[in-house]
Amino acid sequence: MRPEFCLDVRGDYACFTRPEMKVERVSYDFITPSAARSVFESILWKPEIRWRMERIEVLSPVRWISVRRNEVGAVVSARNVAGAMQSGKGQLGLYVEKERQQRAGLFLRDVAYRLYARMEPVKGEAMGNLAKYTEMFQRRASKGQCVNQPYLGCREFDARVRLVASPDGEPEPLTSLDGDFGWMLYDMDFTRPADPRPMFFRAQLTRGVLDLTQAEVRS
């Protein structure tokens, strides 16, 4: 049996943006599987392994906050970057004052989740020595070490992460949160790296628990 790990993840704010919203950021009601996976990857990412999300437990009520903030509405041109690499010089500056846009967002606040994921070997040393990576993750998670700061949808919304050795004695999921929450982003399909495709599933919570082992994923 491949090892399963559990993380307690909390934050003051979160935004798991719905892709159908083109301009304003509007969050899903709770964390998406891809965002949950990124929390595990922020602690340990290796090309030899991958994380498969199995279960999400919502621990706090869904609370919303509306925020208007400044964002940059442009990126540096890839053509300019390529030209600068070839010639050794070029204009790569991005003037924030000219590209600033004010946008509204509907975010989550005071979020808390318990995330379960399994570590799966993909290639290389992990195929015959998964215990090495298991011990590596447990050591890093217990000490609060990470590859990059875990975040909740947007990088400015940092997450507080704690390794849960045993769910016994931990807070119960929010049993009042129950029902069908519609189609939710599951992850991105990178089978063709030049043309990644989004995958969706029907998010159905049962007493605050999202069982991803039964999710029917569609492209």
Side-chain angles (χ1 to χ4, degrees):
M1 177 68 71
R2 292 162 182 168
E4 182 183 64
F5 299 95
C6 179
L7 294 176
D8 183 288
V9 179
R10 298 171 185 266
D12 297 327
Y13 301 99
C15 179
F16 311 107
T17 307
R18 292 178 175 271
E20 63 267 27
M21 303 300 178
K22 301 299 184 181
V23 178
E24 313 296 346
R25 293 183 184 272
V26 177
S27 178
Y28 285 110
D29 296 75
F30 48 87
I31 190 170
T32 62
S34 58
R37 172 180 53 77
S38 72
V39 175
F40 284 86
E41 290 180 342
S42 69
I43 299 173
L44 180 65
W45 181 91
K46 296 287 183 181
E48 296 88 356
I49 63 171
R50 69 178 177 184
W51 291 101
R52 182 177 296 277
M53 296 304 306
E54 295 210 327
R55 180 183 174 101
I56 294 174
E57 296 178 354
V58 183
L59 306 180
S60 63
V62 178
R63 299 187 178 96
W64 300 93
I65 182 171
S66 180
V67 177
R68 186 174 294 275
R69 60 181 185 170
N70 293 325
E71 297 187 7
V72 176
V75 297
V76 176
S77 168
R79 180 177 298 179
N80 291 348
V81 173
M85 293 175 63
Q86 293 177 358
S87 64
K89 60 181 180 179
Q91 180 62 39
L92 299 179
L94 186 65
Y95 298 97
V96 176
E97 295 298 332
K98 294 183 179 180
E99 302 295 343
R100 179 173 291 162
Q101 297 178 357
Q102 192 173 73
R103 295 179 179 177
L106 187 61
F107 305 147
L108 299 170
R109 63 183 180 91
D110 302 324
V111 299
Y113 308 105
R114 196 156 46 237
L115 312 177
Y116 296 80
R118 288 196 183 276
M119 180 189 295
E120 296 185 340
V122 177
K123 60 181 180 180
E125 186 180 3
M127 299 299 293
N129 188 17
L130 191 59
K132 170 185 174 181
Y133 297 88
T134 299
E135 294 170 0
M136 191 183 304
F137 177 81
Q138 290 176 328
R139 181 176 65 254
R140 293 178 63 84
S142 61
K143 293 182 178 180
Q145 297 175 335
C146 53
V147 180
N148 56 268
Q149 172 63 45
Y151 59 92
L152 296 168
C154 296
R155 290 190 180 274
E156 59 266 39
F157 299 151
D158 61 293
R160 301 183 294 274
V161 181
R162 176 175 60 89
L163 178 65
V164 179
S166 173
D168 296 336
E170 295 289 330
E172 291 293 324
L174 189 67
T175 56
S176 60
L177 196 60
D178 201 292
D180 189 338
F181 287 80
W183 292 100
M184 174 181 279
L185 178 69
Y186 181 81
D187 215 324
M188 299 297 292
D189 181 5
F190 289 98
T191 304
R192 293 183 292 178
D195 185 27
R197 299 294 181 89
M199 299 182 295
F200 297 88
F201 77 108
R202 198 81 182 185
Q204 295 180 324
L205 262 69
T206 303
R207 298 176 63 83
V209 176
L210 180 64
D211 184 2
L212 295 170
T213 61
Q214 305 298 322
E216 181 181 349
V217 181
R218 299 181 182 180
S219 299

